[in-house]
Amino acid sequence: MRAVHVTTPGTAEVVELDDPTPAPGEALLRVRFAGICGSDVQTFLGTQPFASYPRVPGHEFSAEIVEINGVSDRFSPGDVVTAVPYFQDGTCYACRRGLLNACEHNETMGVHRDGAFQELLTMPLDRLHRADGVDTRDLALVEPFSIGYHAVRRAQVAEGERVLVIGAGAIGLLTMLSALTRGAQVWVADVVPARLGVAVSMGARGTFDLRTASIPEAVASATDGDGFDVVCEATGLPVSFTNAIEAAAQGARLVLIGNGTREVTFNQSVLIKKELDVLGSRNSREVFGTLVDLLERGAVDVSPLRTRIVPFTEATQALEGAAAGAGEDLKVLIEFPPAP
Ligand SMILES: [Zn+2]
């Protein structure tokens, strides 16, 4: 089978490897589609502090079950699945309290261990989610969807609330979609008009182009000056954090999703004056089943997010393009061949 190897930072190539063999309790999977995430770009560039080389990137994917080692009453060869790509130690203080997503020694596929940019891989059955009748391109979006869905769960977004999402990349738009499933009214802010257009097509109540609109103007037009009940920060930029504080209503919740690397300066008394709940949010394995169910029922449409599909033989160029900040693409999927 063939795999995409990042051999050294900045260099990727397609290599031939032995087919993997599933251990007892594991399935052999044939990958169909895998999304390129920011962390894959970091692995490719060598800016990901946890990556070692060579490394197979990728943690967002859909696949078909080829074979199962053992007996399963839930899965059969031919089933279409997605999988939870995070591995916990099960023993740290977070794991002992049931906070598996916050494991101190979490290992994510494609970063700490080999990922999904390969034709075949093995996974424990207990991390698989079968999806009947779901487009395998959409199914590869469940993992990024889970980041947004967990965030709105953390913020306890409720029906009728006014929510602002800052950042209209794939994660921001999936956060918006998640808030919509809870009956909220959602506005989206970004600086790329094309992305704001996608936000509207996916159900945003309104958008703000922050190249020209100010946060006070956004608060005035969307909330009659009240401020937003929930603000979701999905860029990781310092200015977005201070914008989020400014956009928040008294007593609002602010949830941080964007993984920033730069420091931010702000006056802490504003958190006290507004009595804000500031929440961090990371991955969550618990919501995968819920999201697969939403896709199976056709309750959400994530298809506008997958703006480009490239064959895995062109993964290097796709990673280079993503590293260069490939314009208006939201989610680029790497396609692997179906069963022969
Ligand atoms: Zn742990």
Side-chain angles (χ1 to χ4, degrees), residues 88-96 99-100 102-106:
Q88 297 81 27
D89 63 7
T91 57
C92 75
Y93 186 46
C95 286
R96 297 202 308 273
L99 298 171
L100 297 178
C103 174
E104 290 174 44
H105 306 107
N106 173 68

Side-chain angles (χ1 to χ4, degrees), residues 40 46 57 64 155 172 230 241 248 252 264 295 309 311 313 339:
D40 300 313
E64 291 165 9
V230 176
F241 179 71
V264 55
L295 290 172
I309 293 176
T313 48

Side-chain angles (χ1 to χ4, degrees), residues 90-157:
T91 57
C92 75
Y93 186 46
C95 286
R96 297 202 308 273
R97 285 181 295 155
L99 298 171
L100 297 178
N101 69 321
C103 174
E104 290 174 44
H105 306 107
N106 173 68
E107 291 193 355
T108 298
M109 288 170 65
V111 179
H112 313 81
R113 55 169 69 201
D114 279 342
F117 287 11
Q118 48 189 332
E119 290 184 284
L120 298 169
L121 54 82
T122 59
M123 289 291 282
L125 290 171
D126 64 2
R127 352 190 104 255
L128 300 184
H129 290 273
R130 196 181 77 219
D132 297 327
V134 176
D135 187 315
T136 47
R137 297 170 297 179
D138 292 342
L139 193 56
L141 295 170
V142 165
E143 195 278 342
F145 199 174
S146 76
I147 303 295
Y149 200 83
H150 180 59
V152 304
R153 245 184 15 153
R154 291 272 293 150
Q156 297 180 37
V157 171

Side-chain angles (χ1 to χ4, degrees), residues 250-273:
Q250 299 288 114
R253 290 93 74 199
L254 201 165
V255 60
L256 305 178
I257 314 164
N259 215 345
T261 54
R262 286 195 265 150
E263 296 194 0
V264 55
T265 302
F266 66 102
N267 185 329
Q268 69 200 53
S269 64
V270 68
L271 301 185
I272 297 162
K273 196 171 155 199

